[in-house]
Amino acid sequence: MGEQTGRHRPAGPGLVPRLPSPVVEVADERLTARGVRLLLKRDDLIHPDVPGNKWRKLTRNLTAATEAGHDTLLTFGGAYSNHIAATAAAGWHLGFATIGVIRGEEHHPLNPVLATAAARGMRLTYLDRSRYRSRDDPALHAELRDRFGRFYLLPEGGSNTLAVRGCAELAAELVTQVPDVDVVFVPAGTGGTLAGLAAGLAQPAGRRPHAVGVAVLRGGFLPGHVAALQQATFGAVSANWTVVEDFHCGGYARRNSTLDRFITDFADRHGVVLDWVYVAKMLHGIFTMAGDGRIAPGSTVAAVITGRCTDPPGQDAH
């Protein structure tokens, strides 16, 4: 979808964001021993129903949908897609009907992600994996319009040019909070957050932090996606980012015993239960890369928490 322009509508009363999202430092002797400072950019606390990069990706698209007179949002995602749940929640808060086109076969009972989406009024429909590969095909979009009527189309993961511009705003916010940041990590699924973040980090004069996307799925296509999104949005591809593909645990929404042990250990040490689909893979990558020297000693590292994490009762980030 091409970029749409227009005034940026303020969030509705049910979608008041917590901005800037807070930054908290992680005190961990494993990192201290390597001379690495780690801070968490808690984007998951922006809004309880539309957390993290989902807020940053959706807000400009919701404005564009409203200004174009749409009352229905349609989007694509896997059965564990945080984007699906966030789109359903945003629609519920702001009065849009929502349709989620889900990869794979229908299964009951619904998993927690799809159950949450359905509870917020999202109509779920399914495409087998072969047909789902055509999710960007205009012929499929026409077929869906014949079936459901007029809708505002959000791509898988919400990653279009409006979303990339929304994610670019994250960079200025973060650099203001952590002026000495050297490297910014983000989980990477469809590449939109990394594309915007890196472009935003490349703008200020002087220090230009490097952005690293930790792939949460396999396939090797993310660098191409990120470059294409930057080119489409800004007319150029920045040189200040890389994608690391060592920590996806076999694919999207897959986990293994190593990741599970890391999640348990992190919760025991720091009191935060990590989202295992995105955030845990990124943080496992950071700790591993600090340990093996891929993150240079003396580095100040920021990790963007894009997926929902759980704090113990009574605790919060400040």
Side-chain angles (χ1 to χ4, degrees), residues 151-176:
F151 55 74
Y152 183 89
L153 177 66
L154 288 164
E156 182 182 54
S159 292
N160 59 11
T161 56
L162 289 176
V164 171
R165 289 191 179 278
C167 291
E169 296 170 357
L170 164 64
E173 186 177 305
L174 176 59
V175 170
T176 298

Side-chain angles (χ1 to χ4, degrees), residues 196-243:
L197 172 66
L201 291 174
Q203 294 307 309
R207 296 180 72 258
R208 295 188 177 184
H210 194 78
V212 179
V214 177
V216 302
L217 71 176
R218 63 182 180 180
F221 55 84
L222 270 171
H225 277 204
V226 173
L229 284 166
Q230 285 195 334
Q231 184 67 45
T233 306
F234 304 110
V237 179
S238 67
N240 64 328
W241 57 272
T242 53
V243 174

Side-chain angles (χ1 to χ4, degrees), residues 71-84:
D71 59 11
T72 301
L73 310 173
L74 181 143
T75 195
F76 297 82
Y80 288 90
S81 168
N82 289 335
H83 167 69
I84 288 288

Side-chain angles (χ1 to χ4, degrees), residues 26-33 36 38 265-266 269-270 287:
V26 175
D28 192 299
E29 65 273 14
R30 296 169 294 179
L31 299 177
T32 303
V36 173
L38 174 63
D265 180 71
F266 194 91
R269 290 172 184 261
H270 304 296
F287 275 77

